Structures are given as structure tokens and as C-alpha cells.
Amino acid sequence: MSNTTQQQAILVLEDGTVHYGKAFGVIGTTTGELCFNTGMTGYQEVFTDPSYYGQVLIMNNVHVGNYGVKDGDVESSSVKIRGLIGRNLEETYSRRQAQGSLNDYLKANNLVAIEDVDTRSLVEHVRTKGAMNCIISSEILDVEQLKAELAKVPSMDGLELASLVSTDKTYEMGDPNSEIRVAVIDFGVKQNILNCLVERGAYVKVHPAKTPAAELKAFNPHGYFISNGPGDPAAMPYAIETVKEILKEEKPVFGICLGHQLLALANGIPTFKMHHGHRGLNHPVKNLVTGLCEITTQNHGFGVDPEAVKKADHIEVTHVNLNDKSIEGIRLKGKPAFSVQYHPEATPGPHDSRYLFDD
């Protein structure tokens, strides 16, 4: 059952493409970079992932909202996407544990959405033309006016967003008496990454993005975790410096997604903005160390330069994407530091890559 008011909504892309649909969530206007996710489940985890901050999301799955929402299915305390585009966004849901409908959830989180859009052709357009900014509105229905508003939106290239989603104060998780202490640098960390560390017995202290290295060291951790997050890694010199500092300690360092890109940048490997990025729960990645393939969860719009990595004597490539051969994992030679571009915590799944937390 779609929105009872059936109010019209319009989606306008940076290249002038216009899609008409129906309003869902709150009535209003929103802008951001357009991206798509191929996952069939886990929509609530996706909407609350801090790495999506500043982005308008197209969901590939035909029905989104059909199993409702519940408090436990989140990666952070609020919805982080800027807007939502779907073929059928469902108000009616079926799941015993559900606590409410997607529409009420989006309204509570002040999110503008549009449904009844041909998402297949839209995704094909993004795959061909690349990521671009867009605007959704259910209040301004004049296309020329929307184009004028859209022209004011900055490109994601060069945007520093991690400090906007990071925690503003330190907090701990796990058993304070544990023999494993991990200092987490929060650039937009997902709740289930922290859960995966705690489940393995770690006592975790989560620090704000701009915490100086000296303060991280004061926790006296056995290892460091560099988190995922939104925005352009090259626009984060403060974070690159922190990573360089903690690498001097010869303690284990593990990075995921943005953390992977920052580890590369701290070792002189440049990053680049991808054509349309990787987002979904079904990306095949080969582990070059074991020869095994994993099906992975991904969400990133930037990558590390493959040519520069291959030329670097001090870095070993550990994982590659089997779809486009992009670099999915690296390890520093002679140091206990490694990282992956994808999300091994992978909620709701698949869990092929959780061995990385054991490592």
C-alpha cells in the first residue's frame, strides 16, 4: 500500500534528468549525492550507516519497508542518508518483531523520500554517467526552480564529513578488565563493528575523529582500529597524521573502508573518487593470501589507487574485487597493520569476512 496522500514528488539530477513520483516520508526538499544499494534486506541498517551521510540513496530492491522497522536494526542513533528513492516504499509491513512502519520511521527522522520511480533505469543511468548530485522535493514542483537549488550543492569530491558524524566525547564498551584494549578512532563507526570487537573479548574505547595521537596512546591500547565514515579521505589531513603517528608504535592497526583509505594515504598511496562506487551486500572479493572468495557488504565512493599500491615495495595487496579488480585489502610489510575496503561486520549478512576481526 503506498502513501495515502499520494502527493506528487519530483527528482531532478545534476545532468538535467527529471523523474516524477509520489511523496513518502516527510513533505519537503532534500539534496545530496546520488548513489545506489543492491542489497535486498537490511534497509534500516543501511539508512543509519554514518558512511552514507550527505547521500541520497536509490534502493535497487523493488520493495523496501515490507518488514517494518525495529530499534535493534540500526548502525547509529539516527538516519544518516539525506533522501531515499524507491520503486515501492511500503507503509504496510509484516514481521512479528517490527515496532513500526517505514513511513512513520522516516517521518520521525525528518527524511524526504520519493517512490514510484523507475529505479532500474535510474540505476542504469548512474552506472553509465557516474555519481552526481540530485534534489528531491514534494513541496517545490517547478523543475527550473529545483535545478537552481541543485546548482548550489557542493560536490562530494573534497568534502570532509567524518567530523560531522563522529562522537563528540569518548565512551567505552566491553569488559574493562579484558586483556585486549582497542582504541577506536570514530570517523562514523557502525555499531556492529564495535559489537564484533567486543564479542571477541576486547575492551573498546571510542574516540572522536580529531583526537590527537597522544590522547589515543594514553589509553595504552594493545591495538588501534580506524573506522569507516563518509566523505573524501584526501580532505582529512588531521586523520592521515594521526594514522602515521600510531603506526610508529608497531602495535596492531586495523582499518575498514575510510580507515583503509586513510592507512593507504598515510603510506603515500593516493585515493580517488570512483565512477559510481560500490554499495550492496553481494560483492565478490578474493583473498589473495588464502585463495578463497568472500561475498561482501560494501559502501564506498572512494578507492585507493591500484597502480600506486602495486608499485609500493612496503605494501602487499591482500584482497581484490572480482567485479572490477579494484583494491579491497592491503597489509603493510614488516608492520602489524592491515585494512579492507569492505565491511566484514556485514549486518544483516553475509558473514564470510568476520575472520578479519579474529585476525
Side-chain angles (χ1 to χ4, degrees):
M1 190 176 119
S2 56
N3 204 326
T4 42
T5 56
Q6 295 291 308
Q7 207 161 322
Q8 193 187 20
I10 300 180
L11 164 68
V12 180
L13 275 50
E14 199 176 338
D15 67 359
T17 307
V18 180
H19 286 260
Y20 295 90
K22 299 191 176 84
F24 201 83
V26 297
I27 301 302
T29 304
T30 192
T31 60
E33 184 183 70
L34 196 57
C35 63
F36 62 89
N37 186 297
T38 56
M40 294 180 73
T41 57
Y43 50 79
Q44 196 180 350
E45 289 91 336
V46 167
F47 300 162
T48 54
D49 176 353
S51 295
Y52 277 111
Y53 185 82
Q55 292 179 311
V56 173
L57 188 62
I58 312 162
M59 290 301 282
N60 281 35
N61 199 31
V62 178
H63 296 279
V64 175
N66 45 335
Y67 57 84
V69 295
K70 82 186 202 8
D71 293 346
D73 290 354
V74 294
E75 292 289 2
S76 68
S77 57
S78 63
V79 168
K80 293 296 189 288
I81 58 171
R82 282 278 178 82
L84 176 63
I85 302 163
R87 178 74 185 85
N88 302 290
L89 300 178
E90 307 292 350
E91 258 185 298
T92 310
Y93 58 92
S94 168
R95 177 167 59 152
R96 193 162 286 178
Q97 303 103 312
Q99 292 163 306
S101 75
L102 177 64
N103 203 20
D104 290 342
Y105 181 68
L106 296 182
K107 284 177 176 170
N109 280 276
N110 200 30
L111 197 84
V112 176
I114 181 172
E115 67 159 340
D116 207 18
V117 169
D118 183 349
T119 47
R120 276 186 169 187
S121 76
L122 185 58
V123 165
E124 208 172 332
H125 186 76
V126 174
R127 279 183 63 105
T128 310
K129 296 280 172 33
M132 64 182 87
N133 285 335
C134 72
I135 185 166
I136 303 172
S137 186
S138 43
E139 56 183 358
I140 304 168
L141 300 177
D142 176 341
V143 172
E144 291 310 312
Q145 194 181 338
L146 289 172
K147 284 180 180 173
E149 287 300 313
L150 181 54
K152 301 172 190 171
V153 182
S155 162
M156 187 67 84
D157 214 352
L159 279 192
E160 194 283 315
L161 299 174
S163 57
L164 301 178
V165 294
S166 177
T167 179
D168 50 8
K169 55 181 183 292
T170 58
Y171 61 93
E172 288 97 29
M173 283 176 68
D175 175 9
N177 301 315
S178 169
E179 291 174 10
I180 313 166
R181 296 158 69 87
V182 177
V184 173
I185 316 172
D186 175 15
F187 297 118
V189 73
K190 292 168 74 173
Q191 186 57 48
N192 281 296
I193 288 177
L194 299 176
N195 295 348
C196 282
L197 291 168
V198 170
E199 279 162 14
R200 282 157 183 77
Y203 175 53
V204 170
K205 186 169 186 178
V206 184
H207 299 77
K210 294 190 173 176
T211 304
E215 201 176 313
L216 296 169
K217 291 174 185 177
F219 175 57
N220 198 22
H222 298 100
Y224 295 93
F225 177 76
I226 319 166
S227 90
N228 61 294
D232 185 343
M236 300 171 65
Y238 68 90
I240 297 165
E241 277 311 306
T242 302
V243 174
K244 283 179 179 173
E245 281 300 311
I246 61 175
L247 284 172
K248 290 175 187 170
E249 278 200 87
E250 305 292 329
K251 288 181 177 178
V253 175
F254 177 31
I256 287 178
C257 205
L258 183 72
H260 164 74
Q261 296 155 11
L262 291 169
L263 183 65
L265 286 163
N267 283 279
I269 305 296
T271 54
F272 68 99
K273 189 168 187 340
M274 298 173 78
H275 183 264
H276 56 265
H278 293 156
R279 294 174 184 87
L281 319 176
N282 52 0
H283 289 251
V285 165
K286 184 173 181 180
N287 181 325
L288 301 178
V289 181
T290 63
L292 298 175
C293 179
E294 342 174 344
I295 300 302
T296 67
T297 292
Q298 307 227 351
N299 171 20
H300 61 105
F302 290 83
V304 302
D305 185 327
E307 293 312 309
V309 171
K310 286 167 193 163
K311 284 180 192 154
D313 296 336
H314 61 306
I315 293 177
E316 180 187 359
V317 175
T318 55
H319 298 76
V320 290
N321 188 302
L322 293 178
N323 286 341
D324 62 7
K325 301 292 182 277
S326 59
I327 304 294
E328 293 278 4
I330 57 172
R331 183 161 75 182
L332 300 192
K333 292 177 183 174
K335 275 185 188 285
F338 69 107
S339 61
V340 289
Q341 180 62 80
Y342 53 95
H343 278 270
E345 81 291 345
T347 35
H351 293 164
D352 302 20
S353 311
R354 288 201 169 178
Y355 67 90
L356 289 160
F357 290 104
D358 303 323
D359 295 351

